[in-house]
Amino acid sequence: MSQETNPTVREVNFDGLVGPTHNYSGLAHGNVASMSHEGLVANPREAALQGLEKMKSLMDAGYAQGVLPPQQRPDLGALRALGFSGSNAEVLARAAGEAPQLLRAVCSASSMWTANAGTVTPSVDAVDGRVHFTPANLQSSFHRYLEPETTARVLGSIFRDEAHFAHHPVLPATPAFSDEGAANHTRLCADHGEAGVHLYVYGRQAFGGDDVEPRRFPARQTLEASQAVARQHGLKAAQTVFAQQHPEAIDAGVFHNDVIAVGNGPVLLYHEMAFRDEQGTLDALRAKMATPLIPVRVPTEAVSLDDAVASYLFNSQLLSNPDGTMTLVVPGECQEREAVWRCLQDHLLAGHNPIAEVVVKDVKQSMRNGGGPACLRLRVALSEAERAAVSGRVLLDHALYGELTAWVERHYRDRLAPADLADPQLAEETLAALDELTRILRLGDVYPFQRC
Ligand code: SUG
């Protein structure tokens, strides 16, 4: 590692702004919420405002908050590449008539879940003292495979100062290197500015091994992908632990590790079914961490896998407070399940661990597509100098919050059904809104329609 500890490092949560085409198309196989809400009428305006409200309340509580823009949807370039031609309106009409599933995929607002945007290694852990980024290839579904190109451009634009930030290529978009980013990566450490150990959780091995694969739903992360990201970032064996996700959890709808575990600092909050080898995973972490691991285990008898998936208890944000305590930001659905709410009160808050506060947030619009508070954010630990080197206007303050809220209210619809996606007016509205957004966020021309 290049540096000693750096006390100025803080975790910045970069939340994805929900895009104007947010809808329920049931695109995500293995994601129970997405599959069961297919066809519902979505409210993109409410979705974006719920996300902004979460960002604002965390900013007001003193946490560093950033924002990442949505992607260009419909992705007309993707439709053209698949052989649909003519004007934008003709391309949309042809896709709607001949391949409605493709139209739905190119309209997904899935880039809101920035925990899948990529994997980040803070500078304190990197040999060259820079923050390292790899955008996730998201190759396991077509609608998400469309994201990494723009993600790379957005991350490259915001973290463009080469003295502080290093960007790596997206892994080959093929099943062997299936990568879903930070949703399967947890950094454990004492304070954010101290050396950390990186826990990578994978669902299957591409090139053999003794893994037992899920039978019902796909495993979206491979060991080989996680190893490649760690290698790109220059991490040594002493800094990494690779653990297999429990296949039964994947089959119950746990399509990412962040649906069943969340870590921050030395705390790892997890369900007993999170890892195939629970004890081996904890032992490996303990052997490599410089500070004692604080495992907070939730047994099945307290919260069943079904309750964990339905409530997204583990898709909470675990945030560090200056007094050493931690705050858990849970989705409103946790209040609706008695066992989960009881676990929060009796097991987590009353237990012997740093979790001292539970904050409930309503992100229902995102939750219906399987995205809770933790899916909506990409954690980037940055030193004071690195925060100063961030380009664009993406660190939230009250003025930016006000402008983004007004922008959403000006441009977003409050009703969107899958059948509305063919409306050429929706595409026009969206492009106009995004063009304005790049000016608000001072990002430059990151969208394909601005570059042709
Ligand atoms: O990849 N849902 C996303 C949810 C991602 C949640 N992210 C984390 N757990 N970190 C997914 O399954 C549904 C989109 C739709 O059906 O329109 C979707 O892509």
Side-chain angles (χ1 to χ4, degrees), residues 296-311:
V296 182
R297 177 183 197 263
V298 175
T300 305
E301 62 189 33
V303 174
S304 67
L305 267 182
D306 284 349
D307 275 347
V309 170
S311 66

Side-chain angles (χ1 to χ4, degrees), residues 21-35 38 104-105 107-116 138 140-141 143-144 147 180 182-184 220 255-259 312 315 366 368-372 374-377:
T21 60
H22 160 65
N23 74 96
Y24 300 116
S25 281
L27 297 173
H29 183 55
N31 168 342
V32 175
S34 160
M35 296 187 329
E38 174 174 2
R104 289 172 169 216
C107 287
S108 175
S110 54
S111 65
M112 73 176 86
W113 300 298
T114 52
N116 306 119
L138 296 174
S140 42
S141 58
H143 70 289
R144 303 217 65 181
E147 294 174 39
E180 304 257 329
N184 295 315
R220 296 201 199 175
F255 55 96
H256 290 137
N257 175 61
D258 72 2
V259 177
Y312 263 39
N315 200 258
S366 164
R368 289 194 189 120
N369 255 339
C375 300
L376 285 162
R377 57 93 175 101

Side-chain angles (χ1 to χ4, degrees), residues 10 60 80 84 197 307-308 330:
R10 293 185 72 190
D60 285 343
R80 288 181 194 283
F84 298 100
V197 168
D307 275 347
V330 305

Side-chain angles (χ1 to χ4, degrees), residues 1 13 26 31 36 50 69 95 113 127 130 143 173 190 213 223 239 245 300 323 328 351 388 392:
M1 280 150 285
N13 283 286
N31 168 342
S36 63
Q50 285 175 345
W113 300 298
V127 184
R130 297 191 293 168
H143 70 289
E213 295 192 10
L223 169 63
Q239 298 172 284
Q245 203 179 345
T300 305
D323 64 0
L328 194 67

Side-chain angles (χ1 to χ4, degrees), residues 270-291:
Y270 70 99
H271 189 275
E272 72 164 293
M273 292 296 284
F275 310 109
R276 183 173 162 216
D277 178 3
E278 179 187 355
Q279 204 48 51
T281 305
L282 300 185
D283 289 347
L285 288 170
R286 286 195 176 105
K288 296 185 181 186
M289 284 171 66
T291 191

Side-chain angles (χ1 to χ4, degrees), residues 341-407:
W341 195 243
R342 203 176 331 115
C343 170
L344 275 165
Q345 307 303 321
D346 299 351
H347 191 71
L348 302 185
L349 281 176
H352 192 64
N353 66 67
I355 303 169
E357 183 190 28
V358 168
V359 172
V360 179
K361 283 285 142 209
D362 178 5
V363 287
K364 208 178 253 341
Q365 286 286 329
S366 164
M367 281 287 287
R368 289 194 189 120
N369 255 339
C375 300
L376 285 162
R377 57 93 175 101
L378 179 67
R379 297 193 274 190
V380 189
L382 295 171
S383 68
E384 196 175 349
E386 290 154 0
R387 289 195 294 279
V390 165
S391 301
R393 188 174 164 228
V394 291
L395 296 174
L396 199 69
D397 56 22
H398 285 109
L400 180 57
Y401 169 76
E403 280 179 55
L404 291 174
T405 305
W407 172 81

Side-chain angles (χ1 to χ4, degrees), residues 62-280:
Y63 305 106
Q65 183 67 55
V67 60
L68 294 175
Q71 300 213 350
Q72 178 189 324
R73 298 291 180 268
D75 188 335
L76 291 155
L79 288 181
R80 288 181 194 283
L82 293 170
F84 298 100
S85 57
S87 65
N88 285 353
E90 284 164 349
V91 165
L92 291 168
R94 284 181 185 145
E98 292 169 35
Q101 274 309 110
L102 289 184
L103 178 63
R104 289 172 169 216
V106 304
C107 287
S108 175
S110 54
S111 65
M112 73 176 86
W113 300 298
T114 52
N116 306 119
T119 309
V120 185
T121 296
S123 56
V124 276
D125 293 342
V127 184
D128 63 359
R130 297 191 293 168
V131 185
H132 287 246
F133 298 84
T134 300
N137 61 32
L138 296 174
Q139 66 85 50
S140 42
S141 58
F142 174 58
H143 70 289
R144 303 217 65 181
Y145 156 86
L146 299 172
E147 294 174 39
E149 193 180 322
T150 298
T151 300
R153 223 166 14 239
V154 168
L155 293 177
S157 165
I158 295 171
F159 302 102
R160 79 174 68 138
D161 184 339
E162 287 177 16
H164 290 290
F165 308 118
H167 296 273
H168 299 277
V170 176
L171 300 182
T174 191
F177 294 103
S178 187
D179 178 22
E180 304 257 329
N184 295 315
H185 167 251
T186 305
R187 177 175 182 265
L188 295 152
C189 54
D191 289 320
H192 293 134
E194 289 179 36
V197 168
H198 296 254
L199 171 62
Y200 293 88
V201 182
Y202 62 92
R204 68 182 163 89
Q205 289 188 46
F207 300 124
D210 73 339
D211 65 334
V212 179
E213 295 192 10
R215 281 181 291 203
R216 188 167 168 228
F217 292 139
R220 296 201 199 175
Q221 183 85 28
T222 65
L223 169 63
E224 290 78 359
S226 299
Q227 288 170 329
V229 170
R231 209 158 36 232
Q232 285 182 331
H233 294 202
L235 296 176
K236 308 276 181 302
Q239 298 172 284
T240 57
V241 171
F242 298 92
Q244 193 190 340
Q245 203 179 345
H246 206 300
E248 282 176 40
I250 296 179
D251 280 338
V254 181
F255 55 96
H256 290 137
N257 175 61
D258 72 2
V259 177
I260 194 130
V262 56
N264 177 45
V267 176
L268 181 62
L269 167 61
Y270 70 99
H271 189 275
E272 72 164 293
M273 292 296 284
F275 310 109
R276 183 173 162 216
D277 178 3
E278 179 187 355
Q279 204 48 51

